[in-house]
Amino acid sequence: MTDTLPSPILLRGGSLLTLDGPAGFIIQTGDLLVEDGRIAAIGGTILPRPGDRVVEAAGHLIIPGLVNAHTHSSETFLRGRFERMPLEVWSLYAYPFLVDAPVSPRLLYLRSLLLAMESLKSGVTALSDDFFDPPGHDLERMLAAVQAYDDAGIRATISNAVINIPTLDTLPYARAVMPTDLRTTLDAAALTNTSTYLDFCAAAHAAFHGRKGRLRFMVAPSAPQRCPPDLLVACHDFAVRHDLQFHTHVLETKVQAVTGPEFHGKSLIAYMADLGILSSQTTIAHAVWVSDDDMALMGEAGVSVAHNAISNLRLGSGVAPIRRMLEAGINVALGTDGLSSNDSARVFDLMRVTALMQGVPGPDPADWLTAAEVLAMATQGGARAGRLGEVTGSLAVGKAADLVILDLDTYSFMPLNDPVKHLVFAENGNSVRLVMVAGDVVVEDGRLTRVDERTIFDEIAELMPAHLAEQAMNEQRGRVFEASFAEVHRRASQVDLGLNRYAGDLPAWRKQP
């Protein structure tokens, strides 16, 4: 791996789906020239020059790289581990309160690298990692994740999230239902103050933001109910000052929808609007339980939403009102969320579920999402949410050469009808043959070019028994909190908010606890 710019590459005779402008969803056959990491020319016939590498792309579809707008590398080793848990209970196990020691820097590196590897092989060229590494904010530990993304060759935006309100003060009913001894245990947790976190953000920004032209820092207060107003405002100010993404979780579950009125007398979105932290810098992960008034505020402010369709289903959070978000002028991107609440880093899976799921809320097909809308969310929408709209998200002259070449001679495209619909409803990443990030070929013939997969798999397999044994011990310690957090979930589910984001006709609770 070197830091030099890749050699010029001419992709010849491919089917181009540029997503650039009104005609961007119409396939054109032609060539694409990559030079100095950017798209130098596109369309028609481009004659190769001495020194150009020529890739024959006939019979292949060339698309912009996919963007994963919200994930957590912290969960990479926890896929396939939990089921039938709402967020408030699942969090106890995916992010245990009681741990002996944080994971080693090597495991931090490997879990981030594995996420990048899976992402690249399935056509994801950019991701936003809301890295979480309690109990503190150690720059050297965070840089292990940054190095993993650097080594893999992916475009990544990374932050170390912060929570600095005691856990029991972030949830309605929590103090009332938690036994006294357990309250004392949770209240003893150390919390970061605002100035310390801002110092960390400044150090992280200075350490790696802009590295290789593809690694960026973002500011990530975990959620408005988990951080005090001074931290939220200071983080947003920092993001605006440095043109960074302000990335946070809002209204993922009904518990959080109850939290706003209980704590602030208004929705969490209205609370954020009052603080002045809704803006084009702001990316909100989830936004399942938003009201029409919330969406109007978000649209007026230019907010982006990272829609996590699979995770929301996995944790029983509900169905986000995506059509109404689009009508409100909200930029919608797609996020896998962490691999513990999704189990895959494949954005192709996410596109399919997103499109299908939006047929559930109502019978009018005019309200359902089109394949073109979903593909735009997975490319342009993600780029815009990450402050990368001028860099990636479409194939256009001057933009970074972040692109994917798919083989059309596969089950997903046989026979070929509408390529956009094939991409959203049929493809799962198995047709990916070549992936570029900033003009560097990071996947070729279905293989990673910068990482030895077998070596990494073998190392992870060797380290996992001890790591998962430690994880199991942490989960066992945390089990004492489960009944109380389950009760918070149960009580909140019975509150009438005047809106519903669940699907189906099951009663809220068929069996009383």
Side-chain angles (χ1 to χ4, degrees), residues 165 169 224-229 232 258-272 274-275:
I165 288 179
D169 295 326
Q225 73 275 17
R226 300 173 189 150
C227 300
L232 293 168
V258 173
T259 299
E262 285 283 332
F263 289 4
H264 306 293
K266 63 189 72 173
S267 78
L268 290 174
I269 293 293
Y271 171 65
M272 292 175 71
D274 288 349
L275 292 177

Side-chain angles (χ1 to χ4, degrees), residues 49-68:
R49 304 160 303 179
D52 287 353
R53 178 190 172 190
V54 177
V55 174
E56 299 296 347
H60 291 75
L61 180 65
I62 305 173
I63 67 170
L66 304 178
V67 180
N68 185 351

Side-chain angles (χ1 to χ4, degrees), residues 401-415:
D402 294 1
L403 57 84
V404 180
I405 301 180
L406 299 106
D407 188 353
L408 294 175
D409 190 27
T410 63
Y411 284 104
S412 296
F413 295 95
M414 187 63 63

Side-chain angles (χ1 to χ4, degrees), residues 487 490 509 511-513:
E487 177 62 13
R490 190 189 70 82
W509 295 95
K511 297 178 181 179
Q512 291 299 316

